[in-house]
Each structure stands twice: as structure tokens, then as C-alpha cells.
Amino acid sequence: MTYALVFPGQGAQEVGMGRGFYDACPAARRVFDEVDEALGFSLSRVIFQGPEEELRKTALTQPAILTVSIAILEALREEWNLSLEPAFVAGHSLGEYTALVAAGTLSVQDGARLVHLRGDRMQHAVPLGEGSMAAVLGLDAEAIREVCAEVSALGVCELANYNAPGQIVLSGQVQAVERAQELAKERGAAKVIPLKVSAPFHCALMRPVAEELERAFEGALWSPPRWPVLANVDAAPKTDVPSIRKALYAQTYSPVLWAEEVRAMADQGVQAFVEIGPGNVLSGLAKRCVKGTKTLSVSKPEDVSGLLAFLEGGL
């Protein structure tokens, strides 16, 4: 069965994630140690001990999720001797960086340093309390775009994530996003959920972050990916370093086209999505994007038996 590896984004974190692999697998411990050394502080301590409010800080959340995801992947490769050969790799927001590490384009050290910087700059790009995000359920993208246009006089309000049919996230300045939520309810949204985030991600307010990231890209070592990497910004596979870096730059302030990515991979023959990392959010979204698709999540050692069965005979 043809499959893709997918990697989660912010929101999947929880204190203690990855501990089972860390305790049981030297390969996983090595990843944690390498990231701690690269960042110059013990991210492992925050991941395993918290407190939760510390782990929720964007500058720590992003490298933490990348670290856990890659530690699991390395444990699968070395401890279980799995030869994973996906047709594509992809990740949601920061998960795109994880996908690039998985594909060999970036080292785990460079990947962690970049998303640590990315998270820190996103956190501080907009003064606390001036940015907002909200999930809108039950309205199509065109209706939400019309809402954003209507509130534009109040400030930035843009579509940030196309997660699944009927699930879109708005991002921007507080007054505009709050008015957009009211209009979305009036237009028939099934539910509108303000998100507890520290900054308005994936909108025009993040452009200065993209500029700083582009400069930081020069300090990393880049290699062509082992497998095509789907880009959030256009849902197209990238196979060369210049196009990957260009897509990462634009991804910072552009919407995450996750639903389009899942459908694009399915259109190219992907029959199953294997989610590597904490949580199983992407597995649920994949099922909503492509009816009948197979999914599998690996976040704990006890999940590996299911992956082994899949690789031997399909789900």
C-alpha cells in the first residue's frame, strides 16, 4: 500500500510526550541529546517535566514537537529496523520542518534551531493581546473570504489554515478577528472557536518573521530531500533546495493548505497516511479530507505493532 509520512504541528504537545521511546530506545535518546546540545539548554527537561505553561510557549513548543517526532522516527529506523519508504512526506506548519528533517534535507540540530527561532520570533512579532486566531466550522472557504473582506477596515483578518472541509482557521488583529467571528455565526457557521494562541500565525503580520528566517536559512546545511516534500504554501511536492526554502519563507505568513495537500497526495496514489509524533490530529483531518483513506498514528511504543502489521500487509 502506498503511504505518506505526516508530522504534526503546534497544538499536539503534551508534557511527557515521547518518554516511552526515550526510555526504551537509545536512538530516540540520542535525538533528544542532540537537540539539547544544539539549543544550549535542556529542552528535554521541559518536554518531560513541564510545567505545561512552559511547554506551551511557542519558542519551546515548536522544537519540542519536532524533537519528539524525529526521535520516534529514528527509533523506528534503528530499534525496530524499519525501512520506511513513503511516496511523500508532509507536515502541518512547523511539521513541514520536521518533514524536511525526516527526508534528510535538514539535520535535526538545524531543524530544531530554525523552529526555535521561528517560534520565538512569531511569539514576539505582534504585541501580546493584539493578535488573535479562531476556528470556523461549517462554512466554506468562499464565505469566509467574504467575511474577511468585510472586516478588513478593522485590521488584518486572513484565512490561516485550510485544515479540512468545513474547518478553517482565521488569523489577524483582535478587533477584525472578533468581528469576523460574529459575521461567521450570522452566515451560518456551525461553530466558531477562539483559539488560545500567543500570536496570529500564518497571516501578513508574520512577514517580518519570514525575513529573519530567510537570513537564518543561510546558517543551515541543506540537502535535496530523499522523498518529495509537500509544501503548505501551495500543496505541491518540492524536490530541490531552492524551491523548499522559497516555500518555507512564504509559509510563515501564508495559509497552510493542509486539506489540499492531503487530496494532492491521494490524487498521486497515496492510500494511507502514517502520522509520526504526538497526538493524532492529522489522522483525523485526513479522514475528513479523503473519505475512506487509511490512517495510522505512532506516538507511543505500543503503537509500533500496528505500524509493523501495516508495513507487512497493509491496513
Side-chain angles (χ1 to χ4, degrees):
M1 183 177 288
T2 303
Y3 64 94
L5 295 181
V6 296
F7 299 91
Q10 198 159 334
Q13 72 276 0
E14 63 175 345
V15 174
M17 60 185 179
R19 188 69 200 231
F21 284 99
Y22 180 91
D23 288 342
C25 307
R29 286 197 296 277
R30 185 179 68 246
V31 172
F32 283 92
D33 292 343
E34 288 174 349
V35 170
D36 286 350
E37 183 177 355
L39 297 182
F41 64 90
S42 182
L43 180 64
S44 300
R45 180 195 59 78
V46 179
I47 293 171
F48 297 142
Q49 299 178 23
E52 186 178 344
E53 56 268 26
E54 185 77 3
L55 185 59
R56 282 205 307 263
K57 291 180 179 178
T58 300
L60 300 182
T61 305
Q62 295 196 16
I65 292 174
L66 180 148
T67 299
V68 172
S69 299
I70 295 301
I72 294 171
L73 185 64
E74 288 304 305
L76 294 174
R77 286 169 169 165
E78 295 190 25
E79 307 299 326
W80 278 274
N81 199 31
L82 294 181
S83 178
L84 297 169
E85 291 295 338
F88 300 96
V89 293
H92 191 286
S93 191
L94 83 91
E96 187 170 328
Y97 287 80
T98 312
L100 291 168
V101 174
T105 294
L106 290 168
S107 68
V108 68
Q109 296 96 327
D110 279 340
R113 281 189 286 258
L114 286 173
V115 296
H116 176 55
L117 174 69
R118 179 180 184 265
D120 181 72
R121 298 305 186 263
M122 284 179 159
Q123 180 92 45
H124 297 100
V126 177
L128 195 64
E130 294 186 14
S132 180
M133 298 183 75
V136 180
L137 309 182
L139 279 186
D140 63 30
E142 185 56 38
I144 298 176
R145 275 192 287 268
E146 291 175 3
V147 166
C148 289
E150 289 186 39
V151 304
S152 60
L154 299 174
V156 173
C157 182
E158 299 173 1
L159 283 70
N161 298 338
Y162 294 74
N163 284 334
Q167 184 179 330
I168 292 174
V169 175
L170 298 177
S171 182
Q173 292 167 299
V174 170
Q175 191 175 5
V177 173
E178 287 181 346
R179 179 56 181 153
Q181 293 178 68
E182 295 171 358
L183 290 177
K185 291 175 185 176
E186 293 173 8
R187 306 290 164 82
K191 197 171 187 179
V192 177
I193 307 169
L195 302 182
K196 295 179 181 179
V197 294
S198 57
F201 308 131
H202 297 291
C203 73
L205 299 172
M206 293 291 115
R207 275 188 177 269
V209 180
E211 300 295 336
E212 193 159 356
L213 274 172
E214 188 174 44
R215 291 191 291 272
F217 289 165
E218 296 299 325
L221 179 63
W222 300 79
S223 301
R226 181 174 179 179
W227 311 289
V229 181
L230 268 286
N232 289 174
V233 71
D234 59 7
K238 308 300 179 189
T239 58
D240 64 277
V241 169
S243 64
I244 286 169
R245 288 176 51 162
K246 182 178 179 181
L248 284 182
Y249 172 86
Q251 183 235 56
T252 314
Y253 57 82
S254 302
V256 173
L257 305 181
W258 188 251
E260 291 186 29
E261 288 184 64
V262 173
R263 288 193 291 262
M265 288 185 277
D267 288 344
Q268 291 297 313
V270 169
Q271 301 162 287
F273 295 88
V274 178
E275 183 175 5
I276 305 291
N280 58 4
V281 170
L282 299 185
S283 296
L285 293 179
K287 290 178 179 178
R288 293 185 59 188
C289 294
V290 180
K291 298 300 181 184
T293 194
K294 305 293 185 181
T295 63
L296 185 70
S297 300
V298 182
S299 62
K300 305 179 293 297
E302 50 264 40
D303 297 329
V304 177
S305 59
L307 178 60
L308 292 171
F310 164 67
L311 293 173
E312 290 173 1
L315 289 172

